[in-house]
Amino acid sequence: MAGSTFGTIFKISTWGESHGKGIGVVIDGCPAGIPLSEEDIQKQLDRRKPGQNRYTTARAESDQVEILSGTFEGLTTGTPISLLVRNQDQRSRDYGTIAQLYRPGHADYTYDEKYGIRDYRGGGRSSGRETIGRVAAGAVSLKLLAEIGITVNAYVSAIGPVSIDRERMDLSYAEESPVRMPDKEATKEALAWLEQCIASKDSSGGAVECIVNRVPAGLGEPCFEKLDANLAKALMSIGAVKAVEIGDGTAVQKAKGSENNDAYLCGEDGVPYKASNHSGGMLGGISDGAPLFLRASFKPTPSIAQPQSMLGRDGKCHVESIHGRHDPIIVARAVPVVEAMTAVTLADHLLLAMASQIGYVKKIFGQKKI
Amino acid sequence: MAGSTFGTIFKISTWGESHGKGIGVVIDGCPAGIPLSEEDIQKQLDRRKPGQNRYTTARAESDQVEILSGTFEGLTTGTPISLLVRNQDQRSRDYGTIAQLYRPGHADYTYDEKYGIRDYRGGGRSSGRETIGRVAAGAVSLKLLAEIGITVNAYVSAIGPVSIDRERMDLSYAEESPVRMPDKEATKEALAWLEQCIASKDSSGGAVECIVNRVPAGLGEPCFEKLDANLAKALMSIGAVKAVEIGDGTAVQKAKGSENNDAYLCGEDGVPYKASNHSGGMLGGISDGAPLFLRASFKPTPSIAQPQSMLGRDGKCHVESIHGRHDPIIVARAVPVVEAMTAVTLADHLLLAMASQIGYVKKIFGQKKI
Amino acid sequence: MAGSTFGTIFKISTWGESHGKGIGVVIDGCPAGIPLSEEDIQKQLDRRKPGQNRYTTARAESDQVEILSGTFEGLTTGTPISLLVRNQDQRSRDYGTIAQLYRPGHADYTYDEKYGIRDYRGGGRSSGRETIGRVAAGAVSLKLLAEIGITVNAYVSAIGPVSIDRERMDLSYAEESPVRMPDKEATKEALAWLEQCIASKDSSGGAVECIVNRVPAGLGEPCFEKLDANLAKALMSIGAVKAVEIGDGTAVQKAKGSENNDAYLCGEDGVPYKASNHSGGMLGGISDGAPLFLRASFKPTPSIAQPQSMLGRDGKCHVESIHGRHDPIIVARAVPVVEAMTAVTLADHLLLAMASQIGYVKKIFGQKKI
Amino acid sequence: MAGSTFGTIFKISTWGESHGKGIGVVIDGCPAGIPLSEEDIQKQLDRRKPGQNRYTTARAESDQVEILSGTFEGLTTGTPISLLVRNQDQRSRDYGTIAQLYRPGHADYTYDEKYGIRDYRGGGRSSGRETIGRVAAGAVSLKLLAEIGITVNAYVSAIGPVSIDRERMDLSYAEESPVRMPDKEATKEALAWLEQCIASKDSSGGAVECIVNRVPAGLGEPCFEKLDANLAKALMSIGAVKAVEIGDGTAVQKAKGSENNDAYLCGEDGVPYKASNHSGGMLGGISDGAPLFLRASFKPTPSIAQPQSMLGRDGKCHVESIHGRHDPIIVARAVPVVEAMTAVTLADHLLLAMASQIGYVKKIFGQKKI
């Protein structure tokens, strides 16, 4: 069944395989009148591109995007925006040996069980290159959100045993850090840890956090299309994510109500505010006007150079090593992907929330000539 | 926007408020030919019913379900199944004082921001009573899953500082435990902890885990309708859930690839199996035939009897206490809700996966007379 | 698969069988703040009720509606509106004899082929009583449309060989006419024709037209969710409809471009207008501000008292007569159903069109406090 | 809102403008294992291509399709199939003069009202070139349907005053006829009529009929996702279609029940059959095993070379002529478009119907290893 489409009225449909002709996305339902250029999209794609440093795969791809439709004279027209990135470095010979093997931690076995056939070259559709479509769509979403001032920022908060220190945290440093950690000290420790992983032909898990500012209160549609529910789906749909947390996340297990409730206080100027933000900016699945706070846990890259016991299509087990170019860690490159999925989800919810009150309908159509 | 519908071809639509006339659900897309009685549904509703013991709200509700449509002579007919539970104990006077106040940790403020109006009686649509529709739909889903042998079992794994011990864990004890923990010792400790919470007019968070057995490989639709993505959405949409974990969950942050990969091994009889199940039964968002493993973290009940600083509709802050009947903990009653949302999600994915291969289509329509 | 849900963000889900416990609908996605009472809905249900005169079935049903959720103090709250009508007159003995027979022109055979089981009492889900859910939802939609001044009016334009005369047409007479024709002469002729049909134990086809006034320009979402496309679906989904026409409909086959194009003219006051409305108020599937004009053709009621050759579940043919209470014509009672489906479709498109321009988004969320 | 996506589990998303970089479609949800090549798709595109003869626009386009994803070694893989056709002849200078004018019968005005901006080059998204995406997706659908023997054939049944004669009708001649009429005599008359239209700088309406053979009984999902309802939507969504008829269509208005009912008869061999097919192969919105019969009425091409009164963006009226390359009639080129939309709709319904009975579920998953 169609599973490559996300969103209800702001809808993205991605396509493409690792070693096919290219990767792309169709964004349908984007409102008309938003400035959009290829540069806007390229900027985000460059952040997820391979080959950025020694901790990302060496695959040579320029990942140049082409806008095929949906804009006119620099503005979105309300019609579908089709984006195309051609694959260049397809060295499929690297992957030939594993055509007959199901690698541990990969989707090889499950694709074959589901479809009875699979494009085994570089993971096919289950490859990390699939996220190009997400990031491209995310770039368009970010432009939409920017129109009302919403900003989305993700960063790496943990790699293996190394976590950022909330006291030392400096968001302006994150993009400078080779592992996108907003903490110089933690970055240094993380790099040391990664060297160890590389030396032992191993890989490491990690976490990405995301903060969204200036979200209007009122986004999210109870009871199943809650904002947090769709953000959880959006992030969990990213390959390798195994947990999604909102606000305090798993820590709420141990909390008491008196600690977890965010009290409303009134400032000296009489303006009310929340004393804390344990809820991560959502109550009852609806944004409350405070910043959204999300966290996704990524499993270690399953492609490691150590020999592993794999299952063959022949039904027998084989101990083999995976050759090729792989990331010892993916969280750094996942940062723009997390931002993208967050932005795409918010764009849809922003548009959906316009239909909440009859007063909003009148505001738009009461003023139209008929 | 319509947010009370869940699923693509097995679709549920819930409705109802805490102090309205009743709560219900319409289940559309259930295959014909499944045995279904009111008892099948009542059994699950009774598990979430209030008043089961001292740790759940004392609200008196029998929560009797009526099947209004969709069955004939004890079997589902393929047409929509409408289920109705009338509210009985509506003592709305309990809630009168908070009509003008936004309680911390509740959705009062966000509903008013979103809709400009809210049914303030007992939380209205954001009340925990909304889960009656989920559990009723879940009961129907469980009957469907049972037809091919799938079982879904949830239990409480943590309450405040108390966690179950994996060594001592005894699933058969869970329903006996007043807090649905599959561990006698932990139950005892948890009860002691809850007494402390009650004494200090406080509440506690906790966690619910869910295991699904005999799931066929191949369920889940990449790349956005992955099985894990939809399970994350399903669980996060339950009120009070702040984190969803699949398999090892947040622990993958610290794992290495060599530890996290589930190696394929071949038994002495040559039959292949996974050496471990860190993935929680899903790879690439598709079920791999191993048991599914999920965990949801619940925040502490926001209704506590302590005085708290609340926001009034007048824009001013007021220190007030919340009176009424509330659970010091909700995880125990959330167990059937977690099972229900898991079952509803699986039912939809089971039906969706039928369209994966042209061979499946031929298997059904190649044998039909035309 | 779930087929009883209609709409994207204004979504209705109907349920119920002819001789089950009742019929109902859940309306989800209705904006908050619209005045709504049971009387608003009852008024429309009374227009489709059986037993209104000698040309409609004598089945005795009061069809009283109950609002179970979604309103508070007389206003919609934005949460799902659940409406229930209990069945009263269920004389299922009337239908017993045809449990084993597939009647010509009915859905008996196709339901059995599709589901392998069917509720044979009075047509089950395929009964005309299913339209109660549509009319109830339509009543809510009409209240929404009324908020910005849109009106929806249907009437019977043809019954068998009798058509209304466009010159004589008087919309104010339509509801007075026993066959809802806005033409006294045609009504007289139609009644004479129906007496003939009744005398010969036969039934007659007919047509219903619908005019929608004050629709804002800009509703409809190219290229598949065009307004005309969804209206066509909405009307064709009504049992017995075999053709849907927009504007000039089938007459365009014979037209030339110079005749069919609606020229834009400017009045003496300089105000532009369309010289004609062959397009029926939609161009490129988007409303153009002129009145919408639709027509649906209804086949004759398949239940006739003459003996007919039917197929048995035993695979053999049997000549039998259908007993029971049936309408010799259904167009008169179909009028509120056509209005309902038109209104439901428009309500959804009105809300969807709010997301067309970024300027609209800013108009709503640019003024919200954040 | 997203309107360029069609289908529930077999889902197509088209994109592209007349004078943009290209036109394309993403087909998601196609089962794995179906043979598919670029030739399969090109064959259908060539049938709708411009420049086939004097009665179609002279625009020079080769309309070559490229499969960008979703197949591997000649078979579909179950992942999204992305198809791209680059625009070549974009002579946008032809259209420059009408940038400021709203042409009668075109969507110029409504696009500007809806979006506040429009790509005025050659109609932009509302151009007939948009149907390339439909035809390409239709070609894939036809391959899927062919796997279980379903065939879809459309032809022109009327052009202006000329209709085919049912007695003389010869389907094998249709593709030979320059106007795709399955009747030599009618073709001759139609060509004479078109010469008249061309001479008078005018255009003509017409009709396309479609027959689908070997459809299994049981497709269609009551009550809103009926097969006829979705076919009506599919055909009405094609630009210029103003009426959709199923079976006897508008003729049912004048029919009696005794004439319109398709009696079940049993042959000498005892095999039952329908004595007629007034229903067009669907009862209660579900296929009954007889051939489907559909008809779409197309309005005359609105682009005519005669001077017409148009509306300017300045709010004033202007008498102007439309220059450029246009079809005096579109029904001939619409034939593959009607086939495509019919095929796409059926493909989705075929897959949806797999979930109708629990027995079907068991047939597939009861045999899977778990």
Side-chain angles (χ1 to χ4, degrees):
Chain A
M1 124 50 220
S4 289
T5 293
F6 188 84
T8 296
I9 62 173
F10 183 94
K11 192 175 275 185
I12 69 169
S13 301
T14 67
W15 56 269
E17 284 92 28
S18 172
H19 286 63
K21 292 202 169 178
I23 305 272
V25 62
V26 178
I27 300 144
D28 194 13
C30 185
I34 302 171
L36 183 70
S37 67
E38 286 174 353
E39 289 66 43
D40 292 323
I41 302 160
Q42 195 60 52
K43 200 176 59 184
Q44 292 303 105
L45 287 177
D46 288 349
R47 290 177 67 214
R48 79 155 287 292
K49 221 169 45 177
Q52 298 179 56
N53 59 44
R54 145 174 187 75
Y55 309 104
T56 62
T57 170
R59 176 170 171 159
E61 290 283 357
S62 63
D63 289 348
Q64 288 298 307
V65 72
E66 185 183 9
I67 300 181
L68 295 173
S69 70
T71 61
F72 185 58
E73 299 179 342
L75 295 175
T76 58
T77 60
T79 61
I81 302 165
S82 180
L83 306 177
L84 170 64
V85 170
R86 294 265 178 190
N87 287 331
Q88 294 179 314
D89 182 359
Q90 303 174 14
R91 281 192 261 174
S92 57
R93 60 189 174 285
D94 284 354
Y95 295 94
T97 56
I98 55 163
Q100 302 305 320
L101 290 177
Y102 301 131
R103 295 166 294 171
H106 278 277
D108 303 340
Y109 174 73
T110 54
Y111 267 67
D112 244 12
E113 280 293 301
K114 181 176 192 65
Y115 299 115
I117 178 180
R118 106 192 123 96
D119 180 344
Y120 48 74
R121 300 168 303 165
R125 179 71 177 147
S126 73
S127 160
R129 279 191 73 69
E130 168 259 309
T131 59
I132 287 175
R134 299 175 186 247
V135 171
V140 177
S141 312
L142 288 167
K143 293 287 289 187
L144 162 54
L145 298 179
E147 292 281 320
I148 61 160
I150 300 174
T151 59
V152 180
N153 287 289
Y155 54 85
V156 173
S157 62
I159 291 182
V162 184
S163 291
I164 57 170
D165 183 322
R166 307 275 159 193
E167 305 289 304
R168 279 194 314 244
M169 183 167 156
D170 171 12
L171 270 179
S172 69
Y173 174 71
E175 288 297 303
E176 225 177 292
S177 160
V179 288
R180 289 209 167 95
M181 278 183 143
D183 174 340
K184 260 192 203 177
E185 284 304 304
T187 295
K188 217 179 294 174
E189 292 168 42
L191 293 180
W193 165 250
L194 287 178
E195 290 298 336
Q196 262 187 267
C197 292
I198 294 174
S200 58
K201 299 187 176 181
D202 218 328
S203 61
S204 173
V208 175
E209 291 178 353
C210 187
I211 297 171
V212 191
N213 282 302
R214 291 187 54 76
V215 179
L219 310 193
E221 310 292 326
C223 62
F224 299 119
E225 303 294 339
K226 286 172 173 166
L227 184 54
D228 46 7
N230 274 315
L231 286 167
K233 176 180 177 176
L235 297 190
M236 193 67 90
S237 79
I238 303 172
V241 172
K242 302 301 286 184
V244 178
E245 298 171 90
I246 306 284
D248 283 6
T250 57
V252 298
Q253 292 180 30
K254 294 189 166 28
K256 290 191 180 181
S258 58
E259 299 156 358
N260 188 258
N261 283 348
D262 300 314
Y264 294 104
L265 297 181
C266 285
E268 293 192 1
D269 51 0
V271 177
Y273 63 96
K274 279 171 43 180
S276 51
N277 189 19
H278 298 292
S279 74
M282 288 167 271
L283 281 170
I286 302 173
S287 61
D288 66 6
L292 307 190
F293 184 81
L294 316 166
R295 187 186 299 118
S297 297
F298 286 77
K299 72 176 185 180
T301 325
S303 293
I304 53 176
Q306 294 177 30
Q308 296 182 91
S309 182
M310 305 187 187
L311 182 61
R313 296 195 73 175
D314 57 6
K316 294 184 184 148
C317 291
H318 307 257
V319 174
E320 296 277 354
S321 303
I322 302 171
H323 300 292
R325 305 148 304 180
H326 304 287
D327 300 327
I329 190 153
I330 50 168
V331 276
R333 289 180 63 204
V335 162
V337 182
V338 166
E339 289 175 0
M341 290 311 298
T342 302
V344 165
T345 306
L346 274 168
D348 197 31
H349 272 286
L350 186 72
L351 301 182
L352 289 171
M354 296 176 76
S356 303
Q357 302 187 18
I358 189 67
Y360 296 169
V361 184
K362 286 180 180 171
K363 202 174 272 185
I364 289 173
F365 292 110
Q367 296 171 4
K368 290 209 74 171
K369 61 189 165 204
I370 300 185
Chain B
M1 156 354 249
S4 289
T5 293
F6 187 83
T8 297
I9 61 173
F10 183 94
K11 193 176 273 185
I12 70 169
S13 300
T14 68
W15 56 268
E17 284 91 29
S18 173
H19 286 64
K21 291 203 171 177
I23 305 273
V25 63
V26 179
I27 300 145
D28 195 11
C30 184
I34 302 171
L36 183 70
S37 67
E38 286 176 351
E39 289 66 41
D40 292 323
I41 302 160
Q42 195 60 52
K43 199 175 58 184
Q44 292 304 104
L45 287 176
D46 288 349
R47 290 176 67 211
R48 81 155 285 295
K49 223 168 48 176
Q52 298 178 55
N53 57 45
R54 148 175 184 76
Y55 309 104
T56 61
T57 169
R59 176 169 171 161
E61 290 283 357
S62 63
D63 288 348
Q64 289 297 309
V65 72
E66 185 182 8
I67 300 180
L68 294 174
S69 70
T71 61
F72 185 57
E73 298 178 344
L75 295 174
T76 59
T77 60
T79 60
I81 301 165
S82 180
L83 306 177
L84 170 65
V85 171
R86 293 266 177 189
N87 288 331
Q88 294 180 315
D89 183 358
Q90 304 175 11
R91 280 194 262 171
S92 59
R93 61 193 174 282
D94 285 355
Y95 297 92
T97 56
I98 56 164
Q100 302 304 320
L101 289 177
Y102 301 131
R103 295 165 294 171
H106 278 277
D108 303 339
Y109 174 73
T110 53
Y111 266 68
D112 243 12
E113 280 293 301
K114 179 175 193 66
Y115 299 114
I117 178 180
R118 109 191 117 96
D119 181 343
Y120 49 73
R121 299 167 305 164
R125 179 71 178 148
S126 73
S127 161
R129 278 191 73 70
E130 168 258 308
T131 59
I132 287 176
R134 300 175 185 246
V135 171
V140 177
S141 311
L142 287 168
K143 294 286 289 186
L144 162 53
L145 298 179
E147 292 280 321
I148 62 161
I150 300 174
T151 58
V152 180
N153 287 289
Y155 52 85
V156 172
S157 62
I159 290 182
V162 184
S163 291
I164 56 169
D165 183 322
R166 305 276 160 191
E167 306 289 305
R168 278 194 314 243
M169 184 167 155
D170 170 12
L171 271 179
S172 68
Y173 175 72
E175 288 298 301
E176 224 177 294
S177 160
V179 287
R180 290 210 167 94
M181 277 182 145
D183 174 341
K184 261 191 201 178
E185 284 304 305
T187 296
K188 217 178 294 176
E189 292 169 41
L191 293 180
W193 166 250
L194 287 178
E195 290 298 335
Q196 260 187 271
C197 291
I198 294 173
S200 60
K201 297 186 175 181
D202 217 329
S203 61
S204 173
V208 176
E209 291 178 352
C210 187
I211 297 172
V212 192
N213 282 303
R214 292 187 55 76
V215 179
L219 310 193
E221 310 292 325
C223 59
F224 298 120
E225 303 296 339
K226 285 173 173 164
L227 184 54
D228 47 7
N230 274 315
L231 286 166
K233 176 179 178 175
L235 297 191
M236 194 67 91
S237 78
I238 302 171
V241 172
K242 301 301 285 184
V244 178
E245 298 171 90
I246 307 285
D248 282 7
T250 58
V252 299
Q253 293 180 30
K254 294 190 166 30
K256 290 190 180 183
S258 58
E259 299 157 357
N260 189 258
N261 284 350
D262 300 313
Y264 294 103
L265 297 180
C266 285
E268 293 194 0
D269 52 357
V271 177
Y273 62 96
K274 281 170 45 179
S276 51
N277 189 19
H278 298 293
S279 73
M282 289 167 270
L283 282 170
I286 302 173
S287 60
D288 67 6
L292 307 190
F293 185 82
L294 317 165
R295 188 186 298 116
S297 297
F298 286 78
K299 72 176 185 181
T301 324
S303 293
I304 53 176
Q306 293 178 30
Q308 296 180 93
S309 182
M310 307 187 185
L311 182 61
R313 297 196 74 176
D314 57 6
K316 293 183 183 148
C317 290
H318 307 258
V319 175
E320 296 278 354
S321 303
I322 302 171
H323 299 294
R325 305 149 301 179
H326 303 287
D327 299 325
I329 190 153
I330 49 167
V331 276
R333 290 180 62 204
V335 162
V337 182
V338 166
E339 288 175 359
M341 290 311 297
T342 302
V344 165
T345 307
L346 274 168
D348 197 30
H349 273 284
L350 186 72
L351 301 182
L352 289 170
M354 298 177 75
S356 302
Q357 303 187 19
I358 188 66
Y360 295 168
V361 184
K362 285 180 181 171
K363 201 174 274 184
I364 289 173
F365 291 110
Q367 297 171 4
K368 290 209 74 171
K369 60 188 164 200
I370 298 183
Chain C
M1 139 22 235
S4 289
T5 293
F6 188 84
T8 297
I9 61 173
F10 183 94
K11 193 176 272 184
I12 69 169
S13 302
T14 68
W15 56 268
E17 285 92 27
S18 173
H19 286 64
K21 292 201 170 178
I23 305 273
V25 62
V26 179
I27 300 144
D28 194 13
C30 184
I34 302 172
L36 183 70
S37 67
E38 287 176 351
E39 290 66 41
D40 292 322
I41 301 160
Q42 196 60 53
K43 199 175 61 185
Q44 291 304 103
L45 286 177
D46 288 348
R47 289 177 68 214
R48 80 154 289 291
K49 220 167 50 176
Q52 298 178 55
N53 58 45
R54 145 174 187 77
Y55 310 105
T56 61
T57 171
R59 177 169 170 161
E61 290 283 357
S62 63
D63 288 349
Q64 289 299 309
V65 72
E66 186 183 10
I67 300 180
L68 295 174
S69 69
T71 61
F72 186 59
E73 299 178 345
L75 295 175
T76 59
T77 59
T79 60
I81 302 165
S82 180
L83 305 177
L84 169 64
V85 170
R86 293 265 178 189
N87 288 331
Q88 295 180 312
D89 182 358
Q90 303 175 12
R91 281 193 260 172
S92 58
R93 61 189 172 283
D94 283 354
Y95 296 92
T97 57
I98 55 164
Q100 302 305 320
L101 289 177
Y102 301 131
R103 294 166 294 170
H106 277 278
D108 302 338
Y109 174 73
T110 53
Y111 266 68
D112 243 12
E113 279 293 302
K114 181 176 192 67
Y115 298 114
I117 179 181
R118 107 193 120 95
D119 181 343
Y120 49 73
R121 299 167 304 164
R125 180 72 178 147
S126 74
S127 160
R129 280 191 73 70
E130 167 259 309
T131 59
I132 287 175
R134 299 175 186 246
V135 171
V140 177
S141 311
L142 287 167
K143 293 287 289 187
L144 162 53
L145 298 179
E147 293 280 319
I148 62 160
I150 300 175
T151 59
V152 180
N153 287 288
Y155 52 85
V156 173
S157 62
I159 291 183
V162 183
S163 291
I164 57 169
D165 183 322
R166 305 277 159 190
E167 305 289 304
R168 276 191 319 242
M169 184 168 156
D170 172 12
L171 270 179
S172 70
Y173 174 71
E175 288 296 302
E176 225 177 291
S177 161
V179 288
R180 289 209 168 94
M181 278 181 143
D183 175 341
K184 260 192 201 176
E185 285 303 304
T187 295
K188 218 179 293 176
E189 292 169 41
L191 293 180
W193 166 249
L194 287 178
E195 290 299 335
Q196 261 186 271
C197 291
I198 294 174
S200 58
K201 298 185 174 180
D202 217 329
S203 62
S204 174
V208 175
E209 291 178 354
C210 187
I211 297 172
V212 190
N213 282 302
R214 292 187 56 78
V215 179
L219 310 193
E221 310 293 325
C223 62
F224 298 120
E225 302 295 340
K226 286 172 172 166
L227 184 54
D228 47 7
N230 274 315
L231 286 167
K233 176 179 178 175
L235 297 190
M236 194 67 91
S237 79
I238 303 172
V241 172
K242 301 300 286 185
V244 178
E245 299 171 89
I246 306 285
D248 283 7
T250 57
V252 298
Q253 292 180 29
K254 293 189 166 29
K256 289 187 178 183
S258 58
E259 299 156 357
N260 188 258
N261 282 349
D262 300 314
Y264 294 103
L265 298 180
C266 284
E268 292 191 2
D269 52 358
V271 177
Y273 63 96
K274 277 171 45 178
S276 51
N277 190 18
H278 297 293
S279 74
M282 289 167 268
L283 282 170
I286 302 172
S287 61
D288 66 7
L292 307 190
F293 185 81
L294 316 165
R295 187 186 299 116
S297 298
F298 286 78
K299 72 174 185 182
T301 324
S303 293
I304 54 177
Q306 294 177 28
Q308 296 182 92
S309 182
M310 305 184 184
L311 182 61
R313 297 196 75 175
D314 56 6
K316 294 186 185 148
C317 291
H318 306 258
V319 174
E320 296 277 354
S321 304
I322 303 171
H323 300 292
R325 304 149 302 180
H326 303 288
D327 300 325
I329 191 153
I330 49 168
V331 277
R333 290 179 61 205
V335 163
V337 182
V338 166
E339 287 174 1
M341 291 310 298
T342 302
V344 166
T345 307
L346 274 167
D348 197 30
H349 273 285
L350 186 71
L351 301 182
L352 290 170
M354 296 176 76
S356 303
Q357 302 187 21
I358 189 66
Y360 296 168
V361 184
K362 286 179 180 170
K363 201 173 275 184
I364 289 173
F365 291 109
Q367 297 171 3
K368 289 208 74 170
K369 58 188 168 203
I370 302 184
Chain D
M1 115 54 219
S4 289
T5 292
F6 187 83
T8 297
I9 62 173
F10 183 95
K11 194 175 272 184
I12 69 169
S13 301
T14 68
W15 56 269
E17 285 91 27
S18 174
H19 286 64
K21 292 202 169 178
I23 305 273
V25 62
V26 178
I27 300 145
D28 194 12
C30 185
I34 302 172
L36 183 70
S37 68
E38 288 176 351
E39 289 68 40
D40 292 323
I41 301 160
Q42 195 61 51
K43 199 174 61 184
Q44 291 304 104
L45 287 176
D46 288 348
R47 290 176 68 211
R48 80 154 287 294
K49 219 166 54 174
Q52 298 180 53
N53 58 45
R54 150 174 183 75
Y55 310 105
T56 61
T57 171
R59 176 167 171 162
E61 289 284 358
S62 63
D63 288 349
Q64 289 297 309
V65 72
E66 186 182 10
I67 300 180
L68 295 173
S69 69
T71 61
F72 185 58
E73 299 179 344
L75 295 174
T76 59
T77 59
T79 60
I81 302 165
S82 180
L83 305 177
L84 169 64
V85 170
R86 293 264 178 190
N87 287 331
Q88 295 180 312
D89 181 359
Q90 304 175 14
R91 281 193 259 175
S92 59
R93 60 190 175 284
D94 284 353
Y95 297 93
T97 57
I98 54 162
Q100 303 304 320
L101 289 177
Y102 300 131
R103 295 166 295 170
H106 278 277
D108 303 340
Y109 174 74
T110 53
Y111 266 67
D112 243 13
E113 280 293 301
K114 180 175 192 66
Y115 298 114
I117 177 181
R118 110 192 117 95
D119 180 344
Y120 50 71
R121 300 167 305 164
R125 180 71 179 147
S126 73
S127 161
R129 279 190 73 70
E130 167 259 308
T131 58
I132 286 174
R134 299 175 186 247
V135 171
V140 177
S141 312
L142 287 168
K143 293 287 288 184
L144 162 54
L145 298 179
E147 293 280 321
I148 61 159
I150 300 176
T151 59
V152 180
N153 288 287
Y155 53 85
V156 172
S157 61
I159 291 182
V162 184
S163 291
I164 56 168
D165 182 321
R166 304 279 158 191
E167 305 289 305
R168 279 193 314 243
M169 185 167 156
D170 171 13
L171 271 178
S172 70
Y173 174 72
E175 287 297 300
E176 226 177 289
S177 160
V179 287
R180 288 208 170 96
M181 278 181 143
D183 175 340
K184 261 191 200 176
E185 284 303 303
T187 296
K188 217 178 295 175
E189 292 169 42
L191 294 180
W193 166 250
L194 287 177
E195 290 299 334
Q196 260 186 273
C197 291
I198 295 174
S200 59
K201 298 186 174 180
D202 217 328
S203 61
S204 174
V208 174
E209 290 178 355
C210 187
I211 296 172
V212 191
N213 282 302
R214 290 187 55 77
V215 179
L219 311 192
E221 310 293 324
C223 64
F224 298 120
E225 302 296 340
K226 286 173 173 164
L227 184 54
D228 46 7
N230 274 316
L231 286 167
K233 176 178 177 177
L235 297 190
M236 194 67 91
S237 79
I238 302 172
V241 172
K242 300 301 285 184
V244 178
E245 299 171 89
I246 307 284
D248 282 7
T250 58
V252 298
Q253 291 180 30
K254 293 187 166 31
K256 288 188 180 182
S258 58
E259 298 157 358
N260 189 257
N261 283 350
D262 300 313
Y264 294 103
L265 298 181
C266 283
E268 292 191 3
D269 52 359
V271 176
Y273 63 98
K274 279 170 47 179
S276 52
N277 189 18
H278 297 293
S279 74
M282 289 167 269
L283 282 170
I286 302 173
S287 60
D288 65 7
L292 308 189
F293 185 82
L294 316 165
R295 188 187 297 117
S297 298
F298 285 77
K299 72 175 186 180
T301 325
S303 293
I304 53 176
Q306 295 177 28
Q308 297 181 91
S309 182
M310 305 184 185
L311 182 61
R313 297 195 73 174
D314 56 6
K316 292 183 186 153
C317 291
H318 306 258
V319 175
E320 295 278 356
S321 303
I322 303 170
H323 300 294
R325 304 150 302 180
H326 304 289
D327 300 325
I329 190 152
I330 49 166
V331 275
R333 290 178 62 203
V335 163
V337 182
V338 166
E339 287 174 1
M341 292 309 298
T342 302
V344 165
T345 307
L346 274 167
D348 197 30
H349 272 285
L350 186 72
L351 302 181
L352 290 171
M354 297 175 76
S356 303
Q357 301 186 19
I358 188 67
Y360 296 169
V361 183
K362 285 179 181 171
K363 201 174 275 186
I364 289 173
F365 291 110
Q367 297 170 3
K368 290 207 77 170
K369 59 188 166 204
I370 300 184

